[in-house]
Each structure stands twice: as structure tokens, then as C-alpha cells.
Amino acid sequence: MSWRRICAADSVALNSLKKFEVDGIPVVVANYGDGFRVFPPICPHMEEPLEESGLIEGKVLTCTKHLWQWNLATCQMEGTETEKLMHFYDVKQEGDDLLAFIKSEHIYEFDEEDEMDDDDFFNS
Amino acid sequence: MPARNHNQWKANPPLKGGEWIDSRIYSDPEIYEQELEDIFKKVWVPICHESELPDPYDFRTATIAREPVVVARGPDNVVRAFLNVCPHRGMMIERRPSGSFEEAAPSGNPKRMTCMFHGWQYDMKGNCVYISREKEGYQDRLCKEDTGLRRLRCEVNFGGFIWVSLDDKVMSLEDWCGDAFKCIRKPLEAEPLEIFHYHKAVIGTNYKLWHDTNSEFYHDFMHYHNRVTGFNDAYFARENTAFKHGHVNVGSFEVQYDEYEGFESRAELSFPGLPPNQWYMVDLFPGMNFNLRGSALRCDIVTPLGPDKVMIEFRGFGLKSDTPEERRTRIDHHNSIWGPFGRNLHEDLIGVAGQGSAMLPGSENRRILHGRHENNLIHDEVGMRHYYDEWGKWMNRLPSDPSQPYMPAEAAE
């Protein structure tokens, strides 16, 4: 079973974000008016906690730290700063419950440069 | 000997070269500046212990020779050291003494070091990962790849201490002091250690005077309690040993705690692999001390703040596997000797503060005697003679007349 119940749909107010943990997997639920989106709770740019830094206005989610933006209706990137897609889990509503299809936690890859051997590093 | 007039007072003592030094080396501002450049910027300095950064993203800051340093544990569990300076405008990046980068700074992001001044960010490997409005300001003339942190040599060794050197070309830590640590390496490395005590003192004295006190036991005449209860045949049989690079071991022996009123044996909690109640002491050039007294380890690290000012950091360690009860006992053992109300520490500080008061910068140079010879046994001043010979080599100065270039003690007679 990969459809997991996240929360009651009415527990996330219009244009707000709320963090939940489902079977040990952290997610954020966003209510953008036309529906809901469920995604990992950190910004794919620099791991900022989106439930604190995120702002929804006109169906657009903005991470206020460095102004990366995504359109929650289309799931596409918005604005001039954004460089990476947000990962969205599939979502559906059953009665009052909000469910998301989560096989496993999605982990973003953040660039980390490979390291030289210490002696090579300090002697170069 | 009658009291002496000025000329008599200034005359050299009837001892050989290397058996006294000139007090200018404790007070001269120019010599102090040279020590920072030629010694402290070139050697290995223990910054702290790995148990002070137990989790990924934990950090600790320090300074070596006025250079701010930050050590941080990466997500890969590797501890790395960097100059704690932003490559943009030279701001100190992290101003707290310790903490975690797991949480974001107000202008930064989680898991990054953030310079609060303009929001530039660095990861735990020292890569620059964010320049605010990079393209707008620099177009493509400068980018993150050009602005990484200055990484420093860093090793974790000898019981989990974190060692840093400002010199990329420094010799290996093993070569630097492996010999001097040999006597306590097994007990320190048998299982992980954990810090249980930290305090620091800023003392109006030269850093070398503190190290001198750690390098000789003749001053047990000041430690009243030691003198009246501790002087016995085993005590006087302790031998000092000198190692390359100016390090010494101050004689080891089995302490008869039952002869100390109010003290108990430490045999049960003696460090693993250490003979019961054994006491070992390792003094490293230019001013670090590791003192394993049966059940507790003390470490002193000096940070010189001026010719007449030193910060000494005192740490106490037990085993990470200690039960709460064992830990309490170790802390008692530690504090009863070295705590603020212990038997030794405050007296040692009075000693060096008194020397510092009498050797302020500008005071007339005088001779400080290191000439006791007792077959290298406990009241022999060989530890200091060995140290100052090394000091002379690093500084290219003669300790007994620092205006002269270095020469071996025999040649200076």
C-alpha cells in the first residue's frame, strides 16, 4: 500500500502549508485553493523548511529565503530564480481524508563536490 | 649570600649555558609576535575533543595565533577545519563558541555556515554554495567555485582530540608528537572518551610560564598538601623523559592515594590498559598538557593573548561508556585535584600569575634558572631545558640572550 492517509483535508487552511509525518516520512501539505499538493518539507534549493519559509499567493508557492517559486496548479517552475523542479507526490481526496501516494521518501540531491585526498589537497 | 647591588644582580649566574634563560622571552612584545608567526602558525594545536562535536553539523570555534578557526563535523561524520573567515569581506563567519549548523541562521539555510553580513553560505566541506545575487553583481566574473573557504589541516588522534595546523606543509601529527604520546596511547585509545569538564582562565602571565609549571614538579613545595603527604621514595624515583620536537613526559608513578588524607584509591576506575593508580603526564611543545591521573584525564591548551596574557582551557575526560555513577566518581577524582576547589590548580595559577606580575613588558630582564640536575628525576629541570632548546631552534634565538642567534647549549657556555 503506497496510498497513505496524510490528514483531514480541512486541517490545512486556504493558502497555507502544514507539516505532517506519515510512517516516519515528513511531508508538507499545501492548500492552494483549487486543491492540495503534498511534497517533501524542504526547499530543493538549500533545504530550507518550507512550512516556515513557504508563502502561497495566486497558486504560486514561493520559498521566501531566495525566492524560488513553483506553480502549484501546473507543478512547473515559476519566476527567474528557480533552478530545480519540486518533487510532488500524487494526491487524492477520499471523503474528508487527504491521501498521498508515497512509495518511499523522496530525497533531493544537493550538489556536493568530491573531495581530493588530503595530501593532494594540501600539497596542490 | 648577601643582597646584591644592580651590577651584581645583572651578572650571569655561575651555571652553564642552557641552565638559565633571559626573562625577556616572557615579556618582549617583539618576541611574542615572532612566536605567533614562527611557532604557533607552524605547529599542530589541539582545538577540542571529538565528543564536543558528537553529531553531524556540530561545530566548535577557536583561534590559533589570532586566526579564527572553525571545526565542524560533516554529514559524512568527517571533522574538518576551516579559517572562520568569509572570503567576501573578511567577516568572521561563526561567532558562537559552539553549536550546530543543523538549524539555519536567520539569513542562511540549514546545514550551511552562513556569513550573516551578506548571506554567503558554505557547506561542511567548505564549498561556497550560495552567493546572494551572484549573477546580478558579478555577471560571470566571479562565481562560487572561486570563493570556497580556506581549509586547514585537521586530524583526530590520540584519544579523539581534534588537531589543527595553520601550515599546509606541517609534518604529520604522528611524526610531531607520536613518541611523546606512546606512554598513554593505549589507555586513551582503548575506547571512546567523553568530555565532562570545561573551564577557561585568562591569566596575566606568559603562556610559557604555564607550560613551565606543567613541566616540573619541584614546585610541589608550593602544593602544601602534596608536599606533606605525597613525598615518598616512589615520588622521588619518577623520571622525566625528553622527546624530539620539545615534548616531555614528566615522570610516571603509582600514586599512593591512601597516604593522602581524604582520598580514595582510583584503581577500580583507572583507564583501560593503565596500571592501577598510575599517573602519566605528557607536555607538548609549545604549550599543551595531557595529564592522566588513574581515573581522569585532564588536558590544558594554551592560547597566547599577549606577552603577558594567556587563555588556558581546562578539560576533563572520562570514558563514554561510564555509568552515571562511574562518571560522578571520575568527576570527584578530577575536581578534588584540579577543580576550582581542588588541591592543585589554584596554587599553580597563583604561581604563574605572580611570575607574570614580576615580568611585565618593559620590566628589566633578569635570569630565570632552570639548572637543577637530579639524574632526570622528578625535581630535575630537564623538561624546561629541553623545551627552551627547542624554542631557540624555532625562533633562532638564544634563550639566555634572545638578541643572539640560536646555538646549542654546550656552545653557549
Side-chain angles (χ1 to χ4, degrees):
Chain A
M1 263 303 284
S2 294
W3 282 101
R4 304 173 201 243
R5 181 186 180 275
I6 309 293
C7 60
D10 62 3
S11 65
V12 184
L14 176 66
N15 287 336
S16 77
L17 300 117
K18 204 165 171 182
K19 190 178 176 185
F20 295 93
E21 205 168 288
V22 186
D23 305 327
I25 299 171
V27 296
V28 158
V29 175
N31 178 349
Y32 63 99
D34 294 350
F36 297 89
R37 295 290 176 198
V38 177
F39 44 88
I42 58 172
C43 179
H45 179 210
M46 294 181 76
E47 303 180 64
E48 194 64 18
L50 286 168
E51 83 276 14
E52 291 170 22
S53 67
L55 195 74
I56 302 173
E57 209 177 72
K59 302 182 181 37
V60 172
L61 167 66
T62 303
C63 174
T64 53
K65 196 65 111 174
H66 300 124
L67 307 182
W68 282 27
Q69 297 179 314
W70 302 268
N71 187 313
L72 294 176
T74 64
C75 295
Q76 295 305 303
M77 297 190 284
E78 286 269 340
T80 55
E81 300 292 312
T82 322
E83 293 171 20
K84 281 185 196 168
L85 286 166
M86 172 90 72
H87 179 85
F88 293 99
Y89 299 112
D90 285 341
V91 63
K92 68 179 177 184
Q93 203 171 333
E94 280 183 2
D96 294 337
D97 291 337
L98 198 65
L99 285 74
F101 188 84
I102 305 175
K103 258 189 174 156
S104 60
E105 182 176 1
H106 183 85
I107 308 281
Y108 292 115
E109 283 201 6
F110 296 95
D111 300 336
E112 284 227 1
E113 277 178 35
D114 282 341
E115 220 174 339
M116 275 191 270
D117 173 66
D118 275 11
D119 282 331
D120 293 341
F121 176 83
F122 286 106
N123 291 324
S124 63
Chain B
M1 174 83 193
R4 293 176 279 172
N5 67 27
H6 196 197
N7 274 338
Q8 292 167 330
W9 169 249
K10 286 195 297 181
N12 285 336
L15 294 172
K16 292 181 177 173
E19 294 181 333
W20 80 87
I21 58 173
D22 185 307
S23 66
R24 274 176 290 175
I25 74 163
Y26 297 120
S27 60
D28 185 311
E30 192 185 311
I31 290 176
Y32 171 74
E33 292 297 327
Q34 192 196 336
E35 286 175 317
L36 296 187
E37 282 304 315
D38 291 348
I39 298 176
F40 281 87
K41 288 185 180 176
K42 307 282 186 204
V43 298
W44 285 101
V45 178
I47 292 286
C48 61
H49 189 259
E50 62 175 352
S51 63
E52 293 170 67
L53 335 170
D55 299 315
Y57 303 104
D58 286 348
F59 72 85
R60 186 92 170 78
T61 56
T63 63
I64 302 175
R66 295 202 189 99
E67 301 287 355
V69 170
V70 57
V71 290
R73 186 182 289 278
D76 53 0
N77 247 328
V78 175
V79 175
R80 296 179 182 82
F82 307 98
L83 206 63
N84 185 14
V85 171
C86 184
H88 174 215
R89 294 269 289 278
M91 169 77 162
M92 184 181 285
I93 295 172
E94 181 52 59
R95 294 171 302 148
R96 292 169 291 177
S98 65
S100 170
F101 293 119
E102 182 100 54
E103 302 259 322
S107 55
N109 293 97
K111 304 177 181 173
R112 273 83 177 179
M113 301 179 236
T114 303
C115 178
M116 69 174 288
F117 205 175
H118 304 93
W120 290 28
Q121 296 186 45
Y122 307 90
D123 69 14
M124 296 299 115
K125 291 182 176 173
N127 301 310
C128 181
V129 291
Y130 184 72
I131 293 177
S132 36
R133 290 176 58 77
E134 179 178 359
K135 282 246 188 283
E136 288 87 341
Y138 291 110
Q139 298 79 40
D140 289 314
R141 296 171 297 119
L142 182 92
C143 61
K144 294 189 277 292
E145 283 65 35
D146 303 317
T147 53
L149 295 184
R150 157 88 163 101
R151 191 169 159 207
L152 302 171
R153 285 265 186 197
C154 179
E155 285 188 34
V156 180
N157 206 341
F158 307 117
F161 287 90
I162 297 172
W163 302 75
V164 174
S165 175
L166 296 179
D167 184 1
D168 283 1
K169 311 290 183 215
V170 68
M171 74 180 74
S172 81
L173 180 60
E174 198 68 50
D175 284 350
W176 171 244
C177 61
D179 289 353
F181 264 109
K182 208 168 172 188
C183 62
I184 52 171
R185 196 146 188 184
K186 270 188 187 159
L188 294 194
E189 295 184 345
E191 52 175 291
L193 308 183
E194 191 169 68
I195 188 166
F196 61 64
H197 175 92
Y198 175 87
H199 81 277
K200 62 185 176 187
V202 175
I203 306 293
T205 197
N206 185 273
Y207 76 92
K208 296 186 293 300
L209 291 166
W210 180 251
H211 198 65
D212 289 353
T213 298
N214 273 334
S215 305
E216 57 92 1
F217 272 43
Y218 186 43
H219 75 273
D220 266 336
F221 284 92
M222 171 171 71
H223 294 311
Y224 169 78
H225 201 104
N226 286 15
R227 176 160 55 90
V228 298
T229 64
F231 281 6
N232 55 33
D233 290 350
Y235 171 93
F236 284 109
R238 304 166 70 176
E239 196 167 344
N240 297 306
T241 316
F243 298 90
K244 63 181 178 185
H245 307 313
H247 315 312
V248 295
N249 290 171
V250 180
S252 305
F253 84 137
E254 186 181 337
V255 182
Q256 305 295 321
Y257 284 101
D258 47 4
E259 293 183 15
Y260 290 53
E261 197 182 331
F263 282 79
E264 58 185 26
S265 168
R266 297 167 172 207
E268 271 185 34
L269 282 178
S270 286
F271 269 43
L274 188 71
N277 287 330
Q278 201 76 22
W279 176 5
Y280 284 98
M281 194 147 150
V282 177
D283 281 305
L284 296 190
F285 183 87
M288 301 88 195
N289 169 263
F290 297 79
N291 194 338
L292 180 55
R293 222 177 203 283
S295 52
L297 172 69
R298 162 179 155 189
C299 170
D300 301 0
I301 299 168
V302 298
T303 302
L305 301 176
D308 55 348
K309 201 178 195 186
V310 61
M311 177 176 79
I312 313 167
E313 292 177 284
F314 302 91
R315 288 171 167 84
F317 298 89
L319 303 180
K320 199 177 174 192
S321 63
D322 283 343
T323 64
E325 196 180 21
E326 287 169 337
R327 182 60 60 87
R328 273 197 302 277
T329 307
R330 281 192 209 283
I331 292 173
D332 283 349
H333 289 173
H334 174 274
N335 290 355
S336 59
I337 309 273
W338 299 317
F341 298 99
R343 222 180 56 202
N344 282 22
L345 184 67
H346 53 301
E347 291 169 342
D348 284 331
L349 291 171
I350 291 169
V352 298
Q355 288 179 294
S357 305
M359 291 182 213
L360 290 171
S363 59
E364 186 183 59
N365 61 313
R366 54 194 68 122
R367 281 128 214 95
I368 309 299
L369 309 184
H370 292 163
R372 292 183 60 84
H373 288 273
E374 290 190 55
N375 299 320
N376 289 350
L377 299 180
I378 195 66
H379 286 182
D380 194 312
E381 287 166 336
V382 60
M384 285 180 287
R385 289 192 295 275
H386 182 62
Y387 178 100
Y388 286 105
D389 187 57
E390 182 76 13
W391 182 92
K393 288 180 198 163
W394 284 78
M395 296 287 286
N396 192 25
R397 290 178 184 268
L398 191 60
S400 59
D401 181 359
S403 59
Q404 302 290 321
Y406 171 79
M407 64 186 93
E410 311 80 63
E413 281 172 26

